[in-house]
Amino acid sequence: MVMVMLISVGSAFAQKPSKKMLRLFDEAKNLYNQKEYEAAASVLCDCLVFDSTFIDARLLLADAYYASDEVLLSAQTNFNSAVMDSSFHRLYFNAGRQYLQVGCYDEATEAFSRFISSNPRNKKTAAVADSLLKAARVAQSFVENAYPVENLYHDTLINTDDDEYVNSLTADRKNLYFTRRHYKEGVLNEDVFVASRNDADDKQFASVSDVSQFFSADKNEAAVSLSPDGNIMFLTVCGSGDSYGSCDIYYSKKIGDNKWSAIKNLGENVNSAFWDSQPCMSSDSRVLFFASTRPDGYGKSDIWYSILNDDGVFLPAKNCGELINTDADELAPYIHYDGQTLYFSSDRYGGLGNLDLYMVDIQSNDTAVNLGFPINDHENQMNLVIE
């Protein structure tokens, strides 16, 4: 998440403010304090008609735009305010971070360059700006080397106004299991759904049903992964009485057409007292990859793995190492059928925005590669599945 660093300033006018300007400004402040951000922005625009250099109004306008999710307008306002008055060069920094947030990498480069050239006294902030400047240039290089991507699936049964994410496709490509975050009886909940189609090449799925009905009625179930034969489902369950931490990895066995057994915890060799989630089983059914915030890793969330031995027991989990994990978040592992190409999500330095998708050959010493634009952009890219 990109945070905007706000600053406090005193009043500054190019000319003595009129009573009407001050009245409009006070009205806008009251609206802003009442969280009427769009109305506040409208009044501030009227106020600036009288004097566009009224810096207090410009600063509040940038904040009102940002609070109403008009991030680009906020960035432009901050940038233009810094151009108008060089004593507010810190606004270049604010604008740069906001331009990054909306994927305007050239504009972010210009903003950070201007901030750095203004010789800020705070060396720590200058170092952050230099790092973000390099990130903006890297992101722009991805955009300039874009490749074509086509959306073949415009399926409103699956994609709704709710959040749908972390999915798994059966080997015959006829059933897509996914997580939906939605309200159930007034409570926001995560549940597992399956979308089915008659033919693997159909562009539309024929039906969607709730799989979580077989597990529980009051817990969060999410992040589904199927065994290669489609008979075992690995999933994350949060808030269960038999869990080791906040969220654990469980499994369920198929007992009929889209019917599943009661869930069972995978045990302490896989799960910990921390967050364990987003499982993915390898094509030979011997290695389970997953994400975890347990200690002794490299960052906030790391990718770990557990090997299933010949006795059907998962061995103590191990960290996937520094070629995959960083001091940032690594999430949503997906191991390709070749058994060596691992895809995952990360918000590490050098991406296009928040979470980007990466790939790495786990049998080599090569570093992970960003999948580039437009698969990745300034938004979150969480999960990738290969047919």
Side-chain angles (χ1 to χ4, degrees), residues 329-384:
D329 275 324
E330 276 72 46
L331 300 163
Y334 174 80
I335 186 69
H336 191 274
Y337 295 110
D338 63 12
Q340 66 182 65
T341 307
L342 183 73
Y343 297 88
F344 62 94
S345 182
S346 176
D347 61 355
R348 66 184 62 188
Y349 169 79
L352 282 95
N354 294 321
L355 289 170
D356 278 11
L357 290 167
Y358 290 79
M359 62 180 290
V360 65
D361 185 339
I362 60 175
Q363 296 183 9
S364 72
N365 290 321
D366 294 336
T367 57
V369 176
N370 189 299
L371 294 188
F373 183 85
I375 284 183
N376 292 318
D377 60 16
H378 61 282
E379 302 286 0
N380 283 324
Q381 281 71 45
M382 169 68 81
N383 176 231
L384 180 145

Side-chain angles (χ1 to χ4, degrees), residues 18-48 50 54 56-57 60-61 64:
S18 67
K19 291 182 178 180
K20 187 169 186 178
M21 284 175 60
L22 292 177
R23 179 181 61 78
L24 289 171
F25 184 59
D26 287 340
E27 180 184 349
K29 285 194 295 183
N30 289 332
L31 288 168
Y32 184 89
N33 291 333
Q34 295 169 16
K35 298 184 179 180
E36 298 287 341
Y37 302 122
E38 292 182 7
S42 178
V43 173
L44 287 165
C45 288
D46 292 339
C47 179
L48 289 168
F50 294 94
F54 186 179
D56 284 8
L60 186 59
L61 178 60

Side-chain angles (χ1 to χ4, degrees), residues 192-208:
V192 176
F193 286 76
V194 58
S196 302
R197 56 188 174 185
N198 298 321
D199 189 278
D201 294 323
D202 288 346
K203 297 296 188 293
Q204 295 283 328
F205 285 83
S207 63
V208 171

Side-chain angles (χ1 to χ4, degrees), residues 219 237-245 248 250 265:
K219 301 180 183 67
V237 180
C238 300
S240 182
D242 62 345
S243 64
Y244 294 86
D248 278 11
Y250 289 70
N265 194 298

Side-chain angles (χ1 to χ4, degrees), residues 318-329:
K318 295 182 179 180
N319 191 286
C320 283
E322 61 185 352
L323 291 180
I324 294 172
N325 296 310
T326 67
D327 58 358
D329 275 324

Side-chain angles (χ1 to χ4, degrees), residues 281-313:
M281 176 59 81
S282 63
S283 60
D284 61 1
S285 297
R286 298 304 297 268
V287 184
L288 182 73
F289 294 86
F290 61 96
S292 176
T293 59
R294 67 188 64 189
D296 301 324
Y298 291 85
K300 304 171 188 175
S301 171
D302 278 10
I303 295 174
W304 296 70
Y305 70 96
S306 175
I307 296 175
L308 185 66
N309 67 15
D310 293 336
D311 297 325
V313 176

Side-chain angles (χ1 to χ4, degrees), residues 137-340:
R137 286 171 172 165
V138 170
Q140 183 60 31
S141 70
F142 281 122
V143 174
E144 291 171 354
N145 291 280
Y147 45 83
V149 171
E150 184 180 359
N151 183 4
L152 298 178
Y153 299 94
H154 302 276
D155 203 305
T156 55
L157 278 177
I158 298 173
N159 294 313
T160 67
D161 291 337
D162 296 315
D163 286 333
E164 286 87 21
Y165 45 84
V166 190
N167 50 79
S168 183
L169 190 67
T170 55
D172 62 8
R173 300 187 293 133
K174 291 183 179 181
N175 296 293
L176 177 70
Y177 289 82
F178 63 94
T179 304
R180 175 172 288 163
R181 191 167 184 257
H182 63 144
Y183 280 95
K184 180 186 288 186
E185 298 180 354
V187 178
L188 192 60
N189 202 61
E190 288 179 305
D191 286 318
V192 176
F193 286 76
V194 58
S196 302
R197 56 188 174 185
N198 298 321
D199 189 278
D201 294 323
D202 288 346
K203 297 296 188 293
Q204 295 283 328
F205 285 83
S207 63
V208 171
S209 58
D210 187 348
V211 181
S212 290
Q213 60 182 308
F214 303 113
F215 306 142
S216 72
D218 59 350
K219 301 180 183 67
N220 284 333
E221 302 93 11
V224 183
S225 175
L226 298 177
S227 62
D229 60 10
N231 291 324
I232 299 178
M233 178 190 297
F234 299 93
L235 70 158
T236 305
V237 180
C238 300
S240 182
D242 62 345
S243 64
Y244 294 86
S246 60
C247 295
D248 278 11
I249 299 174
Y250 289 70
Y251 73 95
S252 172
K253 293 184 177 180
K254 195 170 186 179
I255 55 178
D257 291 339
N258 289 332
K259 293 183 179 180
W260 297 85
S261 68
I263 54 174
K264 291 186 178 181
N265 194 298
L266 281 185
E268 61 185 350
N269 282 350
V270 172
N271 294 307
S272 69
F274 299 85
W275 178 84
D276 302 291
S277 184
Q278 301 170 346
C280 181
M281 176 59 81
S282 63
S283 60
D284 61 1
S285 297
R286 298 304 297 268
V287 184
L288 182 73
F289 294 86
F290 61 96
S292 176
T293 59
R294 67 188 64 189
D296 301 324
Y298 291 85
K300 304 171 188 175
S301 171
D302 278 10
I303 295 174
W304 296 70
Y305 70 96
S306 175
I307 296 175
L308 185 66
N309 67 15
D310 293 336
D311 297 325
V313 176
F314 281 101
L315 301 179
K318 295 182 179 180
N319 191 286
C320 283
E322 61 185 352
L323 291 180
I324 294 172
N325 296 310
T326 67
D327 58 358
D329 275 324
E330 276 72 46
L331 300 163
Y334 174 80
I335 186 69
H336 191 274
Y337 295 110
D338 63 12
Q340 66 182 65

